[in-house]
Amino acid sequence: MSEGHLGEKNHRWKGGTEWNYGAGWRAVRKAAHERDEVCQVCDADEHDARLEVHHIVPVRLFVNADDDEKTDAHFLENVVLLCAPYHHQTERGDLPWYAPPDEIPDRIGEI
């Protein structure tokens, strides 16, 4: 993607952070890969497609919350492994079971 379409310049930008997810992200990302192993929608593995870790409650909601930090978004119950095509569909809201909520739920089970 060209620099002219990244972050706030992207038509799908909804605020939040661009690249630095902060402390804890790498560990949670690795744990999600180990737990899920395949796309949780289509069962594609790393040989079939690029696998990406999706925040169920988006980082941007934590960034914009008064009582939370962006690193509060990084816990295993808040992420799921998806192949790149399903990750993009999810971010657009096309897959409702993992579509981002509009606010941080009181408990992660409310998602």
Side-chain angles (χ1 to χ4, degrees):
M1 185 173 288
S2 75
E3 291 294 321
H5 291 88
L6 295 176
E8 293 177 351
K9 296 176 185 175
N10 188 293
H11 69 281
R12 293 191 311 225
W13 177 257
K14 296 179 184 175
T17 61
E18 290 187 45
W19 295 107
N20 184 2
Y21 270 10
W25 171 238
R26 288 180 190 242
V28 169
R29 184 177 175 274
K30 180 180 179 189
H33 275 271
E34 290 172 355
R35 178 195 65 196
D36 294 345
E37 297 181 346
V38 298
C39 173
Q40 297 300 289
V41 176
C42 70
D43 291 328
D45 66 18
E46 67 223 16
H47 301 291
D48 300 323
R50 183 173 127 193
L51 299 178
E52 302 174 345
V53 178
H54 169 68
H55 282 88
I56 299 167
V57 178
V59 173
R60 69 179 172 274
L61 294 183
F62 289 85
V63 169
N64 296 327
D66 293 333
D67 298 329
D68 293 294
E69 301 290 329
K70 70 178 164 187
T71 55
D72 293 336
H74 308 324
F75 57 97
L76 194 55
E77 293 80 9
N78 188 39
V79 296
V80 62
L81 195 62
L82 300 174
C83 65
Y86 277 118
H87 190 196
H88 296 292
Q89 288 181 39
T90 299
E91 289 293 332
R92 287 193 311 261
D94 295 342
L95 299 177
W97 50 87
Y98 290 127
D102 295 327
E103 61 185 41
I104 300 170
D106 291 332
R107 294 180 306 119
I108 204 67
E110 295 176 1
I111 297 172

